[in-house]
Amino acid sequence: MDWELGNEPEWYKRNPIRTVLTPQQIGDGYVKLRSILRRYANCKKSSIVGPAVGRVTSYLIKPIFRGFINITGSFLKAATIHHYYFAGPSATKETYMNASYFADLPNLIGKALSLIKASKYPGVPLWFSETSTGYGSGTANVSDRFVSGFLWLEKLGISAARGAKVVCRQILYRGNYALIDGKLNPNPDYWFSWIHKMLVGQKVFAVNLTGLPTPPTTRVYAHCTNTARSSYRPGAVTVFALNVDTTTTSVLTFSGPFANQNYDSYLLEPDVPGDVLSTSMKLNGKTLTMPSDETMPEIVPVNQSAGSTFALPTATMAFLVFPKANIQSCQ
């Protein structure tokens, strides 16, 4: 079990008692927490993460983050931050498809990792212990729809590519950005997360893209395939891509060892064609639903012939698996 003490301490000054905590005080609190946990047999092996701060690009938060790691780094499992792209209540569906937001997260991750590297404990991993799209509980009738998946898959992709080790989604239930609805049915982001978990492994690769507009409306990421959760064999590679352009299909052409290989495609589209505010979604033309309360659906790919391009329609996402890539680092 992982323990985290408090939540966004930089904002305590705005609570009713107007508390301002120094990095030393926050760190001392975690030292005390560790001491308490070690008193109990079932908590002795628990891990501690923190300090659960917001944007480390802020001049107010940087000293808290760095100072906290200097105090707790000897026993800290991970340094944790929170991230949201924008204010949820004032956002629209167009906000969720605005490609300019793609530049936000790489800068934040880079700053957080540079602060960790400059601390006394440069090897502490970086986690997102709370994150979603828009803060303030998301956007009504938008955050729980298909359109939310673009920034969510982008966040999973760029976090892995830039070195964040764990991404914890806010939130499972309740709130506009919940993964399941009030009747416990999966919202689109649940399906995106589940398919990502099934097909995408931990080893990440750099992807070189050409011919994109500025800012790029197509994003592509590549990993070793998760062979523990899927039927694919070691050596396979999974590529996932998203296209937020509403007018132009993105055509993916593969080079190098992938140029002449068959691959499996999993195309994700709104259940209602072209309606990104759809509450349900299709995988290769079939609506995703749970067969029963305890059964997940079978996901069936479409086999694409060797050397073929892949047309990613407007406002859609896809996972592409190269079963016979035979990449040594994925063995």
Side-chain angles (χ1 to χ4, degrees):
M1 179 182 293
D2 298 320
W3 292 79
E4 193 173 54
L5 181 63
N7 180 66
E8 298 181 357
E10 68 271 20
W11 296 116
Y12 291 172
K13 61 185 178 182
R14 292 189 179 182
N15 69 20
I17 59 174
R18 304 290 180 182
T19 302
V20 177
L21 297 182
T22 66
Q24 185 67 52
Q25 289 174 308
I26 298 169
D28 287 347
Y30 275 77
V31 171
K32 182 65 174 179
L33 171 63
R34 181 171 183 257
S35 176
I36 293 172
L37 292 174
R38 291 166 70 89
R39 299 176 191 171
Y40 301 93
N42 60 346
C43 292
K44 283 185 177 180
K45 295 183 179 180
S46 295
S47 301
I48 295 177
V49 301
V53 294
R55 301 187 70 88
V56 292
T57 51
S58 165
Y59 76 95
L60 294 174
I61 299 177
K62 285 189 286 187
I64 296 175
F65 188 69
R66 183 174 55 244
F68 172 84
I69 296 171
N70 286 338
I71 297 166
T72 63
S74 63
F75 61 83
L76 197 65
K77 182 177 182 179
T80 59
I81 61 175
H82 297 172
H83 174 263
Y84 295 89
Y85 289 100
F86 41 70
S90 60
T92 65
K93 71 174 183 179
E94 288 76 20
T95 312
Y96 283 70
M97 299 183 71
N98 186 340
S100 65
Y101 283 109
F102 291 157
D104 182 66
L105 196 52
N107 294 333
L108 183 72
I109 294 173
K111 175 56 68 176
L113 291 175
S114 67
L115 290 170
I116 293 173
K117 187 175 181 179
S119 74
K120 294 179 181 179
Y121 300 94
V124 173
L126 175 67
W127 287 13
F128 286 101
S129 60
E130 178 189 318
T131 190
S132 189
T133 46
Y135 62 82
S137 194
T139 309
N141 303 317
V142 177
S143 296
D144 59 350
R145 309 302 171 93
F146 182 88
V147 69
S148 181
F150 293 107
L151 286 176
W152 178 228
L153 277 187
E154 163 67 9
K155 179 166 290 185
L156 293 176
I158 201 64
S159 295
R162 295 303 176 96
K165 300 303 182 183
V166 172
V167 178
C168 299
R169 170 62 184 247
Q170 175 83 348
I171 191 170
L172 178 63
Y173 182 70
R174 294 193 181 278
N176 295 315
Y177 44 33
L179 292 177
I180 57 177
D181 67 18
K183 295 181 180 180
L184 305 185
N185 297 309
N187 285 326
D189 274 4
Y190 181 96
W191 293 120
F192 291 129
S193 303
W194 176 63
I195 295 169
H196 181 278
K197 196 73 173 179
M198 182 177 295
L199 297 178
V200 178
Q202 294 186 3
K203 175 71 175 180
V204 61
F205 300 104
V207 176
N208 294 319
L209 300 176
T210 60
L212 296 178
T214 302
T217 52
T218 299
R219 305 290 278 183
V220 181
Y221 296 95
H223 291 243
C224 292
T225 300
N226 189 340
T227 56
R229 291 178 177 266
S230 70
S231 60
Y232 293 104
R233 300 178 64 83
V237 168
T238 296
V239 173
F240 64 97
L242 53 98
N243 179 14
V244 297
D245 199 307
T246 57
T247 60
T248 305
T249 295
S250 182
V251 179
L252 304 181
T253 302
F254 307 101
S255 60
F258 307 101
N260 296 300
Q261 290 192 29
N262 293 346
Y263 60 95
D264 292 337
S265 64
Y266 302 82
L267 178 64
L268 302 169
E269 304 172 285
D271 201 28
V272 179
D275 182 11
V276 295
L277 292 181
S278 177
T279 57
S280 55
M281 56 189 279
K282 291 181 178 179
L283 170 62
N284 288 336
K286 184 177 180 179
T287 301
L288 283 169
T289 58
M290 293 183 65
S292 71
D293 288 345
E294 299 180 358
T295 306
M296 300 302 290
E298 181 182 8
I299 62 171
V300 180
V302 173
N303 184 255
Q304 306 290 342
S305 59
S308 63
T309 60
F310 184 79
L312 185 61
T314 59
T316 63
M317 290 157 263
F319 290 82
L320 312 173
V321 180
F322 292 81
K324 297 181 179 180
N326 198 32
I327 301 300
Q328 187 63 38
S329 58
C330 296
Q331 299 285 350

